[in-house]
Amino acid sequence: MSNTPEKAANNYIGETPIRVDAYDRATGKGLFASDYYKFIPDLLHVKILRSPVAHCKITKLDLSKAESMPGVAKIFTMERSPFHMERLPESVRFPIDGECIWAGQPIAIVAAETVEQAEDAVDAIMLEYEQLPHILTVQEALDPHPKSIIDPASGHGDGVVDASNPWAGIGRLDIVKSKFSGEGVSPNIVGNYVLDKGDVNEAMKKADIVVEREFCTGRRSHTHLELATAICTYNSDDSITMYGSGCGIHGVIKSAIVNIFELPETKVRTIQPYIGGSFGGRLTPYAEVLCAMMSLYLKKSCAYQYTRKEQFTGSPAAWPVYSRVKFGATKDGRVIAQDYDCVEEIGAIQNNVSYTGRLSSSGAVCVYDIDNIHMDTAATVTNTMPVGPFRGLGCPESEFGMECMMNELADELGMSPVEIRAKNFIKNGGLDGYGEVITSIGVEKCLRACAEKIELDKPSEQDGSVWKRGKGCAVGGKQNTPLGRAEAIVRYYSDASVEVLISCDENGMGASTVMAQIAATVLELPIEKIKVIKGDSILTPFDNYSASSRTTYTTGNAVKIAAEEVKDKLQEAAAREVGVHKSKVEIHGDKAKILGSDVQELALSELFKNTSPYDQGNWGLMRFSPVEGHGVFCPAPIRSWGHDGLTKRMWNWFQYSAAAVEVAVNEETGQVKLLRVACSADTGNPINPKMVEGQIEGGVMMSTSYVTQEEEIYDENGAVMNTGLSDYRVADVLASPKQADFHSLINPDPLPDGPFGAKGMAESVTIPFPPAIAEAIYQAVGVRPTYFPMTAERILKLIKEKKAKEAAAK
């Protein structure tokens, strides 16, 4: 007989029911933003004239011919708009004083009766300009005397604080002793953060071995399949309704439109249809605000859909990161000192307050227990498109160097890459580099499971061909951003059917199904009884956005609280009906169990009365009027950090993952093939394991794609050249290992304050792959990549340099 307690009926935690949106997705019944074109008559179509070069001064902008063309309703520029154009998000901000600061920056916006007429009008605008010097890389940006200053209004080190930004003033220091602040640094440095724990210099002197390298990553696009789309209807009461592919219907899109155009909140309704991918790229409202601007001025319905080229040149990209990592360790593999620099390259962002290097560098202090840490971070601007969140929020880039150096340290000491990490991991209940208590960390279990799957302790077998094999591993940690309130409404009807109203984003990850599982489990009902309603700012309650893997944690907690409130109200109603105290009532699905009464069980449906002239229903429950619970959940506040950068609370919690890979490298071409992979995630207690596996598999292929081939390439004018899916190379099915060699593993460590112990995990799985692949390449052909993407050209160059050195040494 098993000692394992029997799982309660209708407990869906750890189960994988059919997704609540499965039918819509499988049959095509689910509507995406562009599907609404056919429902809205007389749409005007929006198009934009964009800067063709990275930096220029506009000398002539003649709109006369374009304005006289058939079907053209209106053309705006920075000077001609009646709105606060300076309030627009960075990726759609128009030139100030006629100076364009990135290729793709909007110059003029057109509304016309057809897409073709709008495009023709854009082509007819006469633009002349004086080209100015530009900078495109972090190295150019850090030059104390750069040939281009992107934001002349910015001060050294801190930028200009925008008080409307929720991060404004958070942790900002008047004096920070940093190599990235003070006299003699580049005017393109617009933020910095410093952390000091212990005495790094003294610890380095005591170390038996010191390793140090510099690393850098390239710029890449989110490349979601659905193009950015916005449709804005103008209503008879002077309100607007926005249908769009953006994320955050309350906290991002509606708030942006209300603030930019100074509208009453009741005048803006935002509706989120199905979304075709995001990865963070839809957390900046760009198509939506431009579409709203034209609709509000013309008092007509407008639509704007980006082209694929515009997605590459006019929407936020991931930010590249430069890092320098120096470890000091004892001969037994204990890391006693970490000296770390990190610079985020954030593109042409003005009035920066959000970027200081702190976001990316968070991953450098959440995995290992190191007594002495010095961390110096910064953000720099360049003449490239403004950046935005990308899956991992800079952690895959910043931890690339950390994990590469941990592998190199293991190689230098002749230690197992697993055991050297295990010796240095933070333990549950320990402190991270900030001084925060870590309450959930399953990273060691993840790493050991991955290493076992691909037999990391056994060297790769070679076949004598030009394809050399090697294995590597790495781990990663990703912070969960504390900003984010979530609300949920749960309605229980007389027939025990339930509505769950939420506004979190559904990017395809299955959030709606997870919320249904949580509600069904709390209410002890079959999941078929749960209907999820989402994504309409008039109907569904506030939610900031779905980012930083926060949805299961924040919205999940809100749904749980709302469902528990429903249970409490049903408990009260049943107690009154029978005449006992509510503490003697238990609610189980559609029944109430009564203690201490001759009525031992009550069908909850009996509590819902029909109204009649003889019983108007002023009190008690009534049919068709559901019992409603309202759940609100917001994480605990952060604590300001001092000049040492330390704080007891900077983030909510950390998600962890590990990867082990085997690759083959062609010595003659530099091509890299992924042969075997194991990836494991610490999800907290997983609500839906099958969807977790799907997130792991998707994350593996995404990171493999951008580690080995994805990169935006610029021409001599600073414009992106590869602006289509034919020349921006995304990994296809041929880049994936065979199914038998692809292992998705879950090794949870429950989060105490997560709903049923759950936490997010989708971002962390991308972090370990760059360093794991880099180490596997080293084990295969003896070269250490310090830049990704690790294209065949770059790997072949390293191989040739190695052979040249070996030949010279003979």
Side-chain angles (χ1 to χ4, degrees):
M1 183 176 177
S2 171
N3 292 323
T4 304
E6 185 178 346
K7 190 172 183 177
N10 297 320
N11 182 342
Y12 289 91
I13 306 306
E15 301 296 324
T16 305
I18 295 174
R19 286 179 56 140
V20 299
D21 54 2
Y23 178 81
D24 278 358
R25 291 182 179 275
T27 61
K29 297 289 186 183
L31 298 178
F32 290 80
S34 57
D35 290 318
Y36 285 83
Y37 276 75
K38 57 182 176 252
F39 303 129
I40 302 170
D42 302 323
L43 278 174
L44 294 175
H45 296 270
V46 176
K47 285 294 176 182
I48 283 183
L49 171 68
R50 298 179 180 274
S51 173
V53 299
H55 195 191
C56 69
K57 186 77 172 180
I58 297 172
T59 57
K60 182 178 182 181
L61 186 63
D62 187 349
L63 308 177
S64 57
K65 181 180 178 181
E67 287 179 316
S68 65
M69 295 180 71
V72 174
K74 191 65 184 175
I75 302 179
F76 279 150
T77 63
M78 181 72 175
E79 293 72 26
R80 298 177 66 182
S81 172
F83 300 110
H84 294 283
M85 301 291 274
E86 73 282 357
R87 296 183 183 178
L88 294 175
E90 285 94 350
S91 59
V92 288
R93 193 166 297 169
F94 285 61
I96 298 173
D97 297 326
E99 184 177 351
C100 297
I101 56 175
W102 52 283
Q105 183 172 12
I107 295 174
I109 180 169
V110 176
E113 292 176 4
T114 68
V115 173
E116 292 77 15
Q117 288 172 334
E119 290 173 341
D120 289 343
V122 167
D123 292 339
I125 296 173
M126 293 183 63
L127 171 68
E128 295 179 8
Y129 54 87
E130 174 193 353
Q131 196 158 349
L132 302 173
H134 62 259
I135 58 176
L136 302 177
T137 67
V138 65
Q139 289 81 6
E140 292 175 306
L142 288 174
D143 189 324
H145 304 288
K147 57 184 178 181
S148 174
I149 298 174
I150 284 73
D151 187 4
S154 172
H156 289 277
D158 280 335
V160 179
V161 175
D162 174 8
S164 68
N165 189 301
W167 291 100
I170 297 287
R172 302 185 72 83
L173 308 176
D174 296 327
I175 301 171
V176 179
K177 188 176 180 181
S178 162
K179 66 180 68 174
F180 300 118
S181 65
E183 294 298 323
V185 303
S186 172
N188 288 316
I189 297 174
V190 292
N192 66 284
Y193 165 79
V194 174
L195 182 145
D196 271 307
K197 174 188 175 187
D199 191 328
V200 167
N201 292 331
E202 283 299 313
M204 287 290 182
K205 293 175 185 177
K206 297 176 182 177
D208 297 316
I209 182 172
V210 174
V211 291
E212 179 178 11
R213 284 187 191 270
E214 294 183 356
F215 300 86
C216 202
T217 64
R219 182 178 278 252
R220 64 188 191 276
S221 170
H222 297 78
T223 329
H224 33 66
L225 290 182
E226 183 191 17
L227 298 169
T229 305
I231 301 173
C232 185
T233 65
Y234 193 86
N235 306 316
S236 58
D237 63 348
D238 295 323
S239 68
I240 59 172
T241 301
M242 175 65 65
Y243 304 85
S245 58
C247 293
I249 61 166
H250 290 282
V252 177
I253 301 169
K254 180 173 180 174
S255 67
I257 292 172
V258 165
N259 291 334
I260 292 168
F261 304 113
E262 298 180 329
L263 298 172
E265 293 180 37
T266 56
K267 294 295 185 181
V268 180
R269 179 183 185 184
T270 50
I271 296 174
Q272 185 186 78
Y274 282 103
I275 299 177
S278 172
F279 316 118
R282 302 197 192 274
L283 287 168
T284 300
Y286 41 96
E288 292 87 357
V289 294
L290 295 175
C291 193
M293 179 170 68
M294 301 307 279
S295 186
L296 286 165
Y297 182 82
L298 296 169
K299 297 188 176 182
K300 293 184 177 180
S301 298
C302 295
Y304 184 19
Q305 183 173 70
Y306 272 40
T307 63
R308 182 61 63 184
K309 181 177 180 179
E310 282 184 298
Q311 290 288 173
F312 281 102
T313 61
S315 67
W319 59 80
V321 170
Y322 157 82
S323 64
R324 181 191 62 82
V325 186
K326 184 178 181 180
F327 280 154
T330 59
K331 58 187 176 183
D332 65 348
R334 179 77 174 121
V335 179
I336 59 173
Q338 172 186 320
D339 189 7
Y340 180 82
D341 294 342
C342 170
V343 180
E344 298 169 344
E345 190 266 283
I346 63 174
I349 287 180
Q350 297 175 307
N351 300 327
N352 169 66
V353 297
S354 296
Y355 298 101
T356 63
R358 185 181 62 91
L359 293 171
S360 300
S361 65
S362 60
V365 291
C366 68
V367 176
Y368 299 112
D369 181 13
I370 301 173
D371 291 332
N372 304 282
I373 301 174
H374 175 71
M375 192 158 71
D376 204 343
T377 79
T380 65
V381 286
T382 56
N383 293 114
T384 59
M385 75 190 81
V387 301
F390 189 108
R391 193 174 189 176
L393 208 62
C395 288
E397 294 85 350
S398 64
E399 293 179 63
F400 175 50
M402 288 283 295
E403 288 300 295
C404 282
M405 292 311 294
M406 190 62 78
N407 280 325
E408 184 167 345
L409 193 60
D411 294 335
E412 291 289 327
L413 292 171
M415 292 185 65
S416 157
V418 174
E419 297 308 325
I420 195 172
R421 286 177 167 84
K423 186 181 287 287
N424 289 284
F425 282 142
I426 299 170
K427 305 303 179 187
N428 208 329
L431 303 181
D432 65 12
Y434 295 115
E436 302 171 292
V437 177
I438 297 296
T439 59
S440 169
I441 178 167
V443 66
E444 184 172 347
K445 292 186 291 184
C446 291
L447 178 59
R448 291 192 182 280
C450 291
E452 181 182 351
K453 277 294 180 184
I454 72 158
E455 301 174 299
L456 191 66
D457 56 339
K458 296 181 182 178
S460 294
E461 295 181 3
Q462 308 297 338
D463 60 7
S465 72
V466 295
W467 289 95
K468 305 302 179 186
R469 298 187 173 205
K471 298 178 182 179
C473 72
V475 301
K478 161 70 174 64
Q479 41 78 0
N480 174 257
T481 303
L483 181 65
R485 174 186 175 112
E487 299 180 29
I489 293 172
V490 173
R491 295 173 179 157
Y492 184 103
Y493 287 86
S494 61
D495 59 357
S497 61
V498 172
E499 292 173 339
V500 176
L501 280 68
I502 52 175
S503 294
C504 61
D505 304 311
E506 175 59 89
N507 303 322
M509 69 284 204
S512 299
T513 302
V514 166
M515 301 310 147
Q517 289 180 253
I518 291 172
T521 300
V522 173
L523 296 172
E524 301 177 48
L525 289 169
I527 198 168
E528 294 77 16
K529 288 274 193 177
I530 311 297
K531 180 180 181 180
V532 178
I533 300 169
K534 60 168 292 297
D536 186 332
S537 64
I538 280 184
L539 303 176
T540 57
F542 182 87
D543 200 302
N544 250 29
Y545 46 62
S546 291
S548 196
S549 303
R550 66 181 281 278
T551 306
T552 298
Y553 175 69
T554 50
T555 311
N557 267 319
V559 169
K560 187 170 183 287
I561 292 167
E564 287 168 344
E565 183 176 305
V566 166
K567 248 186 161 176
D568 185 73
K569 289 181 176 180
L570 289 170
Q571 192 179 20
E572 178 81 31
R576 287 182 179 275
E577 181 76 10
V578 177
V580 298
H581 190 272
K582 74 174 188 177
S583 65
K584 304 304 177 185
V585 179
E586 297 177 356
I587 303 299
H588 300 288
D590 59 358
K591 293 182 174 57
K593 303 288 185 181
I594 315 296
L595 302 177
S597 169
D598 59 314
V599 180
Q600 298 180 19
E601 184 176 282
L602 187 68
L604 294 177
S605 60
E606 296 178 17
L607 302 177
F608 292 82
K609 311 298 184 182
N610 285 313
T611 57
S612 76
Y614 306 102
D615 182 6
Q616 294 283 44
N618 282 311
W619 296 275
L621 306 186
M622 189 168 55
R623 281 197 72 201
F624 307 109
S625 175
V627 173
E628 186 169 287
H630 184 197
V632 178
F633 181 80
C634 197
I638 65 172
R639 305 301 177 192
S640 294
W641 51 92
H643 283 76
D644 57 6
L646 302 179
T647 175
K648 293 294 185 184
R649 180 170 171 81
M650 187 176 290
W651 311 107
N652 291 332
W653 40 265
F654 292 88
Q655 52 180 288
Y656 297 94
S657 67
V661 302
E662 183 174 27
V663 306
V665 183
N666 190 312
E667 283 188 304
E668 296 181 356
T669 66
Q671 183 182 359
V672 179
K673 288 182 181 178
L674 187 61
L675 301 178
R676 289 200 289 167
V677 59
C679 181
S680 180
D682 164 22
T683 64
N685 188 34
I687 302 291
N688 190 310
K690 187 57 68 175
M691 288 199 297
V692 169
E693 290 177 12
Q695 288 288 344
I696 291 173
E697 291 161 3
V700 167
M701 292 315 301
M702 170 178 272
S703 54
T704 300
S705 182
Y706 67 65
V707 168
T708 58
Q709 57 192 59
E710 287 186 48
E711 185 173 29
E712 292 179 350
I713 301 171
Y714 292 82
D715 64 17
E716 66 276 7
N717 296 315
V720 180
M721 297 170 62
N722 52 335
T723 58
L725 296 181
S726 61
D727 49 12
Y728 180 85
R729 299 184 299 169
V730 178
D732 57 20
V733 67
L734 297 178
S736 175
K738 295 178 181 178
Q739 186 172 356
D741 296 320
F742 199 132
H743 306 286
S744 300
L745 311 168
I746 304 173
N747 285 278
D749 187 22
L751 182 69
D753 61 319
F756 299 102
K759 61 182 178 182
M761 49 66 61
E763 294 176 279
S764 67
V765 296
T766 64
I767 299 171
F769 278 89
I773 290 174
E775 177 64 13
I777 290 171
Y778 172 73
Q779 295 296 336
V781 292
V783 299
R784 291 193 180 279
T786 58
Y787 183 96
F788 70 74
M790 304 169 205
T791 59
E793 295 85 353
R794 289 194 177 99
I795 299 303
L796 183 59
K797 184 174 183 288
L798 292 175
I799 292 172
K800 288 180 177 179
E801 290 173 353
K802 172 178 173 285
K803 289 181 177 179
K805 287 180 181 179
E806 290 172 346
K810 290 181 180 178

